[in-house]
Amino acid sequence: MKDHWRRVRAQPLAIQIIWAALAVEFLAALWERQWPLAGVAAITGALTLAPIYLSSRVGLRLPTAFLVGITLFIFATIFLGEAFDFYNRYWWWDVVLHGGSALGFGMLGFLFAFMLFEGDRFAAPAWALALIGFTIAVTIGALWEIFEFGMDQIFGLNMQKSGLVDTMGDLIVDVIGASIGALAGFAWLKGRQLGGFTGVFGDFVARNRRWFRKHRD
C-alpha cells in the first residue's frame, strides 16, 4: 500500500492538476449540496487512480504518456462529458474521445500481443501483431456501442444520441484510431517512426523487461 501511494504522489503535473480540480469541484459540490456532481467528481477521481493501482498489482510499469492519456480520457469522458454536458455543447467532443481511445486501445492491443510472445519480434510477423492490436481496439469499440444501446433500451438514456448515424460515426472513428495505433506498433517493430507514437512502445518494453524477456533492441 505504501508503494502504491508513493507512485500516486510521483505522478506528472498534468495528472496532479486534474486531481486537484476534481477535489476542488467535489468540495464545492458538497458545500452547495449538489450531490450528483459531487458523486461524479468522486467516481472520476477513483477511476483515474485505478490504472495506477491495477498496474502496480500486476507488476506493470506504465509509461508517463499512457498514464496521462488514460487520466485525461477518464476526466474528459465522465466529468466534462457527462457532468458538464460537453457531448451536447461540442459536436466534436465524442469524435475526439472515440478516436483517441481507439488509438490507445490499438497500441495497447499491439503490446498485449507482443507480450504474449515475450517480446520475440521473430515469433510472428509484424503485420500480424498489428492486426491483432487493430482487432482488439475495434472489438472494444463495438462492445461499447452495444453497451450504449443496452443502456438506452433498458434505462431510457440517450447515449446513442442520433441512433444509427451516431453509432456508425463512432465505429468509423474507432476504425481510424485503431488503424493508427496498430500502424504505430508495426512501424516500431520495423524500426521506423510514426510521429511521437513509436517511442511509447520502446518506453513500455524498457519499463517491463520481465514481460518481454525475448526482446532484443
Side-chain angles (χ1 to χ4, degrees):
M1 183 61 70
K2 290 182 179 179
D3 181 64
H4 169 66
W5 287 113
R6 191 181 304 115
R7 295 184 67 181
V8 169
R9 292 193 298 269
Q11 295 310 308
L13 180 61
I15 296 179
Q16 300 284 357
I17 291 174
I18 290 175
W19 284 340
L22 289 172
V24 170
E25 191 62 42
F26 174 73
L27 294 174
L30 288 180
W31 179 263
E32 298 173 357
R33 298 185 178 182
Q34 297 182 20
W35 312 125
L37 182 57
V40 170
I43 292 171
T44 304
L47 288 175
T48 59
L49 288 170
I52 300 172
Y53 176 75
L54 293 175
S55 62
S56 64
R57 294 289 294 178
V58 300
L60 279 176
R61 298 183 62 190
L62 297 178
T64 301
F66 269 10
L67 283 173
V68 172
I70 293 170
T71 303
L72 284 173
F73 176 76
I74 294 172
F75 180 73
T77 301
I78 300 177
F79 192 69
L80 296 180
E82 297 296 338
F84 286 88
D85 201 27
F86 273 35
Y87 287 118
N88 290 321
R89 290 187 183 184
Y90 308 105
W91 66 267
W92 46 266
W93 194 254
D94 191 42
V95 175
V96 171
L97 292 180
H98 266 278
S101 62
L103 189 153
F105 282 126
M107 298 173 72
L108 287 173
F110 175 88
L111 284 169
F112 174 74
F114 197 45
M115 189 184 299
L116 292 179
F117 294 104
E118 298 183 309
D120 186 352
R121 64 173 65 236
F122 302 108
W127 65 264
L129 294 175
L131 180 61
I132 293 173
F134 169 82
T135 303
I136 290 174
V138 174
T139 299
I140 292 174
L143 290 174
W144 177 257
E145 294 304 319
I146 294 173
F147 170 76
E148 286 188 345
F149 175 78
M151 294 297 286
D152 288 354
Q153 295 299 311
I154 297 172
F155 298 106
L157 301 179
N158 188 30
M159 296 185 71
Q160 289 186 296
K161 306 300 185 294
S162 54
L164 179 61
V165 174
D166 177 80
T167 299
M168 292 310 301
D170 289 345
L171 289 175
I172 291 171
V173 172
D174 287 341
V175 167
I176 295 173
S179 299
I180 297 174
L183 183 60
F186 176 86
W188 175 69
L189 270 187
K190 291 296 185 179
R192 301 168 186 168
Q193 296 295 320
L194 186 64
F197 299 121
T198 47
V200 176
F201 295 102
D203 187 15
F204 187 92
V205 172
R207 289 170 179 262
N208 300 279
R209 279 294 183 180
R210 73 186 188 93
W211 297 95
F212 300 93
R213 290 178 293 180
K214 296 181 180 179
H215 179 68
R216 297 293 182 269
D217 294 324

